[in-house]
Amino acid sequence: MGITLKTPEAIEKMRIAGQLAAEQLRMIAPHIQPGITTNELNQICHDYTINEQQATPAPLNYHGFPKSICTSVNNQICHGIPSAKKLKNGDIVNIDVTIIKDGYHGDTSKMFFVGKPSILAERLCRISRECMRLGVEMVKPGIHLGDIGHNIQKHAEANHFSVVREYCGHGIGKVFHEEPQVLHYGDAGTGVILEPGMTFTIEPMINAGKRHVRLMPDQWTVVTKDRSLSAQWEHTLLVTEDGYEVLTQLPGDEI
Ligand code: MF3
Ligand code: CO
Ligand code: CO
């Protein structure tokens, strides 16, 4: 299929899908409290997607994924399956929502604190957000994807954290995961050159310890091999004529 350049009509639909995904994260935020289960968060998001947004939760049944959102807690890196386990004070949790509206996907995630985080957890969540943001702010026609990965890796490692290699950002549109792959590490001046009309995610996964991952027996949940904390932030972006538009940013919110 290659990299699809979106038409103005497709871009308008991507904007709508992106805003709906972002509104999910805003909606779920006040529910993230000690004692709630990730199953309950999943149910709230699922119902909101279907009933309030008349949209479809993309993760549900995607390659067999059993729930409507991903919830990745503490040492879980990504693709955590919502469960009956309660969140507790001091946990950090990534909520990753992807919705389909009018055939197009919007994909975004952020970190939430459950009660009061440790100093390390707070720093990891801040630095990983900075990694995502500095990647986003580089986006414009003519740069290489490798420029983005390189700067994300530099910022993470300067703060003595590591970048997960096995999972990456991705092109997105009618298809959930399409080309190009957006690596969060690597060499400047390598890889795809950006053009207006491309849409893709930037979603660095940053570990407090070593970069290595382990897949849990459920075949979905990815955890840090050394059991260190991990954090991730994700936005869906459009390359414009002179820069970028963050399709999953709500008016008044910071990147
Ligand atoms: N939302 C994830 C991403 O950012 C993908 C989740 S796929 C699932 O690409 F099947 F685990 F839901
Ligand atoms: Co994504
Ligand atoms: Co996502």
Side-chain angles (χ1 to χ4, degrees):
M1 189 65 206
I3 298 175
T4 58
L5 297 180
K6 273 68 182 180
T7 62
E9 294 73 31
I11 289 167
E12 192 44 43
K13 290 179 181 179
M14 293 283 296
R15 274 193 191 108
I16 291 167
Q19 294 294 296
L20 292 179
E23 281 166 10
Q24 293 264 343
L25 293 182
R26 181 180 278 181
M27 179 280 297
I28 202 64
H31 295 280
I32 301 169
Q33 300 290 344
I36 197 162
T37 70
T38 48
N39 266 342
E40 289 167 323
L41 296 175
N42 175 73
Q43 193 64 50
I44 295 165
C45 285
H46 178 89
D47 292 345
Y48 190 81
T49 309
I50 305 278
N51 301 326
E52 307 290 328
Q53 300 186 321
Q54 284 83 46
T56 304
L60 186 61
N61 300 321
Y62 179 77
H63 295 281
F65 191 78
K67 299 283 177 171
S68 296
I69 61 172
C70 296
T71 55
S72 303
V73 182
N74 296 335
N75 62 319
Q76 297 178 345
I77 296 170
C78 63
H79 305 166
I81 303 176
S83 77
K85 191 164 170 197
K86 288 185 165 120
L87 295 175
K88 60 180 193 306
N89 184 49
D91 284 347
I92 57 171
V93 56
N94 174 279
I95 309 278
D96 191 338
V97 302
T98 312
I99 67 97
I100 309 170
K101 180 74 171 182
D102 209 359
Y104 284 86
H105 290 75
D107 187 8
T108 184
S109 82
K110 64 187 287 189
M111 298 303 298
F112 295 91
F113 300 138
V114 184
K116 193 174 160 42
S118 69
I119 303 258
L120 173 64
E122 201 165 358
R123 197 167 73 84
L124 178 67
C125 292
R126 176 171 58 83
I127 298 295
S128 57
R129 185 179 197 166
E130 289 171 5
C131 285
M132 178 273 294
R133 187 188 296 134
L134 73 85
V136 167
E137 289 176 344
M138 293 173 70
V139 171
K140 62 176 181 187
I143 71 153
H144 289 78
L145 277 181
D147 303 344
I148 294 175
H150 179 75
N151 277 359
I152 288 174
Q153 181 179 11
K154 221 169 59 184
H155 189 59
E157 292 178 357
N159 286 281
H160 309 289
F161 294 144
S162 64
V163 178
V164 170
R165 307 283 176 103
E166 288 80 357
Y167 302 88
C168 57
H170 49 93
I172 183 168
K174 278 190 181 171
V175 176
F176 191 168
H177 295 104
E178 62 183 27
E179 286 177 47
Q181 291 196 18
V182 181
L183 305 184
H184 305 111
Y185 63 93
D187 297 319
T190 65
V192 166
I193 299 176
L194 299 188
E195 290 176 46
M198 289 181 180
T199 51
F200 58 84
T201 71
I202 296 180
E203 49 180 304
M205 285 143 271
I206 307 298
N207 296 348
K210 296 205 165 70
R211 68 174 179 82
H212 302 97
V213 311
R214 188 163 71 82
L215 187 62
M216 294 295 280
D218 65 27
Q219 295 297 312
W220 279 106
T221 312
V222 182
V223 299
T224 55
K225 197 168 175 191
D226 64 7
R227 299 187 166 79
S228 63
L229 291 176
S230 187
Q232 177 179 32
W233 297 75
E234 174 175 28
H235 273 305
T236 299
L237 311 166
L238 164 71
V239 183
T240 62
E241 293 298 327
D242 58 357
Y244 62 88
E245 183 178 328
V246 184
L247 300 175
T248 43
Q249 180 181 23
L250 291 176
D253 277 6
E254 286 176 36
I255 301 172

